[in-house]
């Protein structure tokens, strides 16, 4: 009898009854829609301001839109404007952005208006950061504040998870990315019930956030690169080499990051740190050109439309300059995330590889470069795989990316991350 008992499989966790999940639908749908509208609203406002700052305004002044002078002026002015927000607006636009990742802390309501203003000014002004981290933080804080007021019986831990999932779904235009991120976060926690029961509410919020963004803004990640067919052995080698090279380049930035952060922190005041960062970013833009400005998603599309339009050296310069700009912008206090600039860097590196070795398929090269760079910068394995695959929209690339992720992950795991603790030391 004891032997029979020992051979029995361990009991599986019971599934949650439908009556336990049904009350979660309305809060999840509401959070998903509101989170998406906030993301779309901030992004749209920033785009309209960007159009004015980089179009009619320099034209009226008789200055070239992307001349070296105007890039210096705009990036310095953006540093001043964001510095004023961080200095004077209640809440100081939240904590040091170098200490934040996708898992945002719950910020008090007084912080949120300043954070929204800071990220909108940053997106319009040209620093190399994306909207993801601050928008997630805004949605998490707002969901927590309103959720506790309107649905006081709901557990407080519910609202941050819903807001994070909803915002990630809105950012990527699909709930798959959110499901992968939440699954990865849940992997290290004891779960009550089945995994799908725990994903039910976040996935609902992510789906509503994604469909709202799709209906309102129609985003796309497909770069329109030449379609990739049946993999060859040369494609496997190319994916392995490019992903590993991108991971190594990304790790160079990760190791430099705390030193650059410390250098800016010695200036002590946001009205010194951020304008100084703007001047450094202006110098980098003068070297790399206007395509190395902004979050990078529109600019990487411009690169992908003509993979043979630049030389390998030009692609390499853009990748290195954009990586340096990402480190500076994230170190000096600009509010923003690192995923979208990392996509540009990885894509430029992949196109550089294609220019050096034309036999390397551009879709394989770009996807592998983005995969390796994102693994180094974010340490989010599922997000890195998903984003790299979504950029090329060729199912055959996915198997290559899974293979290429293995040596790239060995290069980055256990090493410092591009995120700091409050005392300035890197997180491992």
């Amino acid at each position: 009898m004891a032997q029979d008992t020992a051979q029995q499989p361990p009991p599986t966790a019971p599934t949650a009854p439908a009556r336990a999940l049904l009350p979660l639908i309305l809060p999840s749908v509401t959070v998903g829609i509101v989170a998406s509208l906030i993301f779309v609203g901030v992004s749209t406002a920033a785009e309209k301001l960007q159009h004015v700052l980089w179009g009619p305004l320099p034209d009226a002044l008789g200055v070239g839109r992307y001349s070296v002078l105007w890039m210096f002026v705009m990036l310095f002015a953006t540093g001043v404007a964001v510095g004023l927000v961080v200095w004077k607006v209640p809440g100081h636009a939240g904590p040091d952005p170098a200490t934040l990742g996708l898992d945002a802390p719950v910020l008090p309501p007084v912080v949120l208006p300043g954070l929204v203003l800071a990220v909108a000014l940053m997106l319009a002004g040209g620093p190399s950061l994306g909207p993801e981290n601050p928008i997630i933080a805004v949605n998490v804080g707002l969901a927590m504040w309103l959720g506790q007021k309107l649905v006081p019986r709901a557990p407080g831990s519910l609202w941050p998870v819903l807001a994070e999932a909803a915002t990630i779904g809105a950012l990527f235009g699909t709930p798959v990315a959110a499901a992968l991120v939440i699954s990865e976060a849940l992997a290290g926690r004891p779960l009550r019930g089945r995994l799908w029961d725990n994903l039910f509410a976040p996935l609902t919020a992510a789906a509503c956030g994604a469909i709202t963004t799709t209906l309102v803004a129609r985003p796309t990640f497909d770069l329109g690169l030449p379609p990739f067919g049946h993999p060859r052995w040369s494609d496997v080698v190319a994916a392995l080499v490019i992903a590993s090279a991108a991971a190594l380049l990304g790790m160079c930035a990760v190791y430099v990051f705390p030193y650059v952060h410390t250098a800016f922190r010695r200036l002590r005041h946001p009205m010194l740190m951020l304008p100084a960062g703007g001047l450094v970013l202006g110098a980098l833009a003068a070297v790399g050109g206007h395509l190395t400005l902004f979050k990078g998603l529109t600019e990487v599309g411009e690169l992908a439309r003509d993979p043979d339009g630049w030389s390998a050296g030009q692609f390499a310069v853009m990748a290195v300059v954009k990586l340096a700009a990402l480190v500076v912008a994230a170190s000096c206090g600009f509010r923003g995330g690192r995923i979208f600039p990392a996509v540009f860097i990885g894509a430029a590196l992949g196109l550089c590889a294609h220019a050096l070795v034309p036999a390397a398929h551009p879709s394989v090269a770009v996807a592998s470069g983005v995969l390796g760079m994102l693994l180094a910068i974010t340490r989010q394995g599922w997000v890195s795989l998903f984003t790299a695959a979504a950029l090329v929209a060729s199912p055959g690339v996915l198997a290559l990316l899974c293979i290429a992720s293995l040596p790239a992950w060995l290069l980055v795991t256990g090493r410092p991350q591009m995120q700091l603790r409050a005392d300035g030391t890197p997180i491992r």
Side-chain angles (χ1 to χ4, degrees):
M1 180 66 71
Q3 184 177 0
D4 293 341
T5 303
Q7 292 177 350
Q8 291 179 355
T12 58
T15 58
R19 65 177 180 273
L21 299 179
L22 284 173
L24 300 175
I25 293 178
L26 182 57
S28 301
V29 170
T30 304
V31 171
I33 294 173
V34 173
S36 173
L37 293 177
I38 290 174
F39 162 63
V40 172
V42 173
S43 299
T44 302
E47 287 172 4
K48 290 185 180 297
L49 180 58
Q50 176 186 332
H51 172 73
V52 172
L53 295 178
W54 295 89
L57 182 57
D59 290 347
L61 296 174
V63 182
R65 294 186 177 189
Y66 293 108
S67 64
V68 172
L69 172 62
W70 190 248
M71 289 190 291
F72 264 106
V73 168
M74 280 308 309
L75 288 162
F76 176 73
T78 303
V80 172
V82 176
L84 284 170
V85 173
V86 175
W87 180 27
K88 290 294 187 180
V89 174
H92 306 290
D96 182 353
T99 65
L100 299 180
L102 291 179
D103 51 341
V106 178
L107 301 176
V110 69
V111 177
L112 306 185
L115 184 54
V116 168
L117 181 57
V119 70
L121 291 171
M122 183 279 300
L123 290 172
S128 295
L129 292 173
E132 59 274 18
N133 290 9
I135 293 297
I136 289 174
V138 168
N139 284 335
V140 166
L142 187 62
M144 190 72 171
W145 178 58
L146 291 176
Q148 289 183 329
K149 285 182 173 295
L150 301 177
V151 193
R153 292 185 178 181
S157 59
L158 173 67
W159 304 111
V161 175
L162 292 183
E164 182 176 340
T167 310
I168 294 174
L171 283 162
F172 289 95
T174 171
V176 176
L180 295 174
V181 171
I182 299 300
S183 298
E184 194 168 5
L186 292 175
R189 304 176 188 175
L191 298 181
R192 297 182 60 183
R194 298 289 183 91
L195 175 62
W196 196 254
D197 291 331
N198 287 271
L199 285 176
F200 180 82
L203 189 58
T204 302
C208 292
I211 195 64
T212 302
T213 301
T214 301
L215 293 173
V216 173
R218 302 182 183 275
T220 179
F221 274 76
D222 185 5
L223 296 179
L225 288 165
F228 176 72
H230 189 73
R232 301 166 299 174
W233 285 110
S234 59
D235 296 320
V236 177
V237 174
L240 289 168
V241 172
I242 295 171
S244 299
L248 287 174
L249 180 62
M251 285 307 301
C252 292
V254 171
Y255 278 107
V256 169
F257 183 56
Y259 298 101
V260 178
H261 181 266
T262 299
F264 279 107
R265 282 296 169 271
R266 287 176 179 165
L267 298 176
R268 297 183 179 276
H269 198 283
M271 286 303 294
L272 295 176
M273 292 187 295
L274 284 152
L279 289 176
V280 176
L281 292 174
L284 290 170
V287 176
H290 73 276
L291 290 179
T292 58
L293 295 170
F294 308 107
K295 65 181 180 182
L297 198 58
T298 301
E299 290 71 26
V300 78
E302 188 170 338
L303 293 183
R305 279 194 294 272
D306 188 11
D308 300 315
W310 290 268
S311 66
Q314 289 173 313
F315 282 126
V317 168
M318 284 189 281
V320 172
V321 167
K322 187 72 170 180
L323 187 60
L326 168 59
V327 171
V328 171
S331 300
C332 70
F334 284 110
R335 271 51 180 171
R338 307 170 190 105
I339 291 178
F340 291 106
V343 168
F344 179 97
I345 298 161
L349 190 64
L351 291 171
C352 173
H354 169 68
L356 287 172
V357 184
H361 195 285
S363 293
V364 173
V366 167
S368 302
V370 170
L371 171 66
M373 186 59 59
L374 283 175
L375 285 174
I377 298 297
T378 70
R379 283 325 133 81
Q380 297 276 348
W382 285 122
V383 168
S384 303
L385 274 170
F386 168 80
T387 305
L391 289 172
V392 298
S394 295
V397 171
L398 189 55
L400 292 176
L401 293 178
C402 290
I403 295 171
S405 69
L406 302 178
W409 184 254
L410 291 176
L411 291 171
V412 304
T413 186
R415 291 176 170 82
Q417 300 183 33
M418 200 171 183
Q419 184 178 347
L420 306 178
R421 298 185 179 89
D423 60 1
T425 58
I427 296 174
R428 287 183 178 269

